[in-house]
Amino acid sequence: MDDYRRLQALHHSLPAFTPAISISLLPFVAAFCLLPTFALAFYSSTLPTSKLNVKEPATALVASILGGFGVVALFCSVGVYV
């Protein structure tokens, strides 16, 4: 029980969490990430096909990363903290 009280005291003595990016900026971060995602997805879908095309996986990778961060920023901006 003593360990629990020590941890509880430590928990209460720590400062409150402050996000690295302000919550008011999250909609802009979401737009900054999601708009290029849609543009890159369109670009990737219109590329001519070839046997070993390096542009398509690279473009898809960048679009996927931007889309992932954009969706998380969009969820957090509406109050769904994931």
Side-chain angles (χ1 to χ4, degrees), residues 3-82:
D3 290 335
Y4 175 74
R5 290 182 197 264
R6 186 174 49 85
L7 287 175
Q8 189 177 21
L10 177 64
H11 174 73
H12 289 296
S13 69
L14 294 174
F17 174 76
T18 56
I21 299 173
S22 174
I23 295 174
S24 62
L25 291 178
L26 285 175
F28 301 108
V29 171
F32 177 75
C33 290
L34 289 175
L35 291 176
T37 298
F38 296 128
L40 288 172
F42 175 76
Y43 175 73
S44 177
S45 66
T46 58
L47 284 174
T49 57
S50 65
K51 296 230 178 210
L52 294 173
N53 192 357
V54 178
K55 286 183 185 178
E56 189 172 350
T59 305
L61 179 68
V62 171
S64 178
I65 291 171
L66 285 173
F69 282 113
V71 167
V72 169
L74 185 64
F75 278 6
C76 289
S77 69
V78 296
V80 181
Y81 298 106
V82 293

